[in-house]
Amino acid sequence: MDESIDTDDLIDLAAEYIAYLRIERGSSPRTIEAYEADLETYRDFLSSRGIEKLSQVSRESIVAYQEHLFAQGYAASTVCRRASVVKGFHRFCVAEDYTESNPAAGLPLPKTPERLPDVLSIDQVQRLFEELEGQEGGPAAARNRAMLEVLYGCGLRVSELCGLDLSDVMLDQGYLLVLGKGGKQRISPISGAAATALADYLESARPQLCKPYAKPTDAVFLNARGGRLTRQSVFKVVARAGLAIGVDNLHPHTLRHSFATHMLQGGADLRVIQDILGHSDISTTQVYTHVDRSHLREEYLHAHPRA
């Protein structure tokens, strides 16, 4: 226990929890930022009810917080996420001996409607890359094609794509070293169109994007100033590619979902897909079995004469 903090003050304890997530759990900066915002919302609600200390928080307080979020019009998924953060915070307080009781223990999370991930059809993916082939451009065009091929061909998260360094690329061996959530490294196979596009980019386009005035970087994907490409830039490139085939607001994660769904439809084992995606829990990967069943139903309704 940190003797320098007020062991009953919610603000101090929340800061301790965030430090634990950052140092002990290795949570990403975006996860830390989201947890900080959710805990601040929770503390603001408790403060509005005159609750400033951990010892004042009751089960009824947490239930009232969830009801307040629903009353504010938040979606069930958002309420569930914020309630999960609250439960994690109180578990931490018990584990670190800041309190003996957990007011959130046994409190069920709000039920959320099952939402299947958005995916592109195989035909849409084919048209997306055909559109890219027809576009003229310099090194940025080659980079964008390589990025999209790797996102779809390897099922990477956008943060994983932006974090790739040259030393992570093993094209001669057919894989990438990917740093995923929680600092966990995994091997992602790469071949075919993705490997070809990435090799072409590294050989001809990336050297042109390197700038003598830029700080040296080992980043695979560079921006026009020679620095590491940002998430926001990738979002823009993917969105523009989507518009070219009539898909509004195409998101990099949609390419990841499409990769997993098409792998499953092609006969890949669910455990293999789990390893490639870097899911720690198979239940996270199992959502794609629902997507695949949805696809089969559509085919059945379309093809069966009496469906």
Side-chain angles (χ1 to χ4, degrees):
M1 183 184 299
D2 188 342
E3 299 297 337
S4 66
I5 72 167
D6 184 334
T7 57
D8 201 32
D9 187 89
L10 287 171
I11 294 178
D12 285 348
L13 291 172
E16 282 290 296
Y17 183 46
I18 294 300
Y20 161 77
L21 293 174
R22 181 183 293 112
I23 299 170
E24 300 296 331
R25 294 280 297 274
S27 299
S28 70
R30 288 180 64 83
T31 298
I32 295 296
E33 184 178 336
Y35 270 63
E36 285 178 326
D38 287 344
L39 284 173
E40 184 175 357
T41 300
Y42 177 52
R43 294 199 318 270
D44 287 346
F45 170 78
L46 294 176
S47 180
S48 71
R49 297 169 68 92
I51 300 173
E52 304 286 349
K53 301 291 185 180
L54 179 64
S55 57
Q56 298 174 301
V57 181
S58 64
R59 184 183 181 88
E60 290 71 25
S61 304
I62 301 173
V63 171
Y65 172 60
Q66 293 183 22
E67 293 174 346
H68 167 74
L69 293 175
F70 277 119
Q72 293 294 308
Y74 287 104
S77 58
T78 300
V79 177
C80 185
R81 188 198 75 226
R82 291 185 171 180
S84 179
V85 170
V86 168
K87 288 173 73 71
F89 168 67
H90 284 289
R91 282 197 303 271
F92 165 79
C93 289
V94 172
E96 295 297 313
D97 294 327
Y98 292 124
T99 182
E100 294 182 357
S101 61
N102 181 354
L107 193 65
L109 293 173
K111 291 185 177 180
T112 59
E114 184 178 285
R115 182 180 181 278
L116 299 180
D118 295 328
V119 298
L120 298 178
S121 67
I122 294 177
D123 179 64
Q124 285 176 311
V125 171
Q126 185 68 29
R127 288 193 291 115
L128 183 138
F129 288 113
E130 286 175 353
E131 285 288 335
L132 290 174
E133 286 177 0
Q135 294 177 2
E136 296 183 0
R143 178 203 63 200
N144 293 348
R145 178 177 179 79
M147 283 177 2
L148 288 161
E149 287 281 12
V150 171
L151 283 170
Y152 172 70
C154 303
L156 299 192
R157 301 178 178 94
V158 64
S159 58
E160 295 169 347
L161 180 90
C162 293
L164 283 176
D165 287 333
L166 295 174
S167 59
D168 299 326
V169 179
M170 311 288 184
L171 290 179
D172 56 334
Q173 300 176 50
Y175 67 84
L176 305 175
L177 289 176
V178 179
L179 191 63
K181 287 186 175 180
K184 295 179 180 178
Q185 192 175 66
R186 69 180 189 277
I187 292 176
S188 176
I190 182 170
S191 63
T196 299
L198 183 55
D200 290 345
Y201 160 72
L202 290 174
E203 181 179 352
S204 59
R206 187 183 182 280
Q208 296 180 60
L209 290 172
C210 291
K211 305 299 180 185
Y213 54 78
K215 182 179 179 181
T217 177
D218 289 331
V220 169
F221 293 106
L222 304 180
N223 58 33
R225 298 176 301 280
R228 187 182 295 272
L229 202 68
T230 64
R231 294 167 50 90
Q232 291 75 16
S233 295
V234 177
F235 285 129
K236 291 178 182 178
V237 169
V238 174
R240 282 199 300 269
L243 290 175
I245 61 168
V247 177
D248 292 331
N249 301 316
L250 182 61
H251 191 281
H253 224 65
T254 303
L255 297 178
R256 177 173 160 89
H257 292 321
S258 302
F259 159 83
T261 303
H262 298 163
M263 286 281 289
L264 188 64
Q265 291 173 357
D269 183 85
L270 198 64
R271 290 286 182 183
V272 172
I273 298 173
Q274 177 191 5
D275 289 342
I276 294 175
L277 293 178
H279 288 161
S280 58
D281 193 328
I282 190 66
S283 64
T284 308
T285 319
Q286 284 173 335
V287 67
Y288 298 110
T289 64
H290 300 302
V291 176
D292 193 40
R293 284 201 293 269
S294 174
H295 165 78
L296 293 176
R297 176 173 170 77
E298 289 175 8
E299 291 295 317
Y300 166 78
L301 293 174
H302 175 74
H304 198 285
R306 296 179 64 81

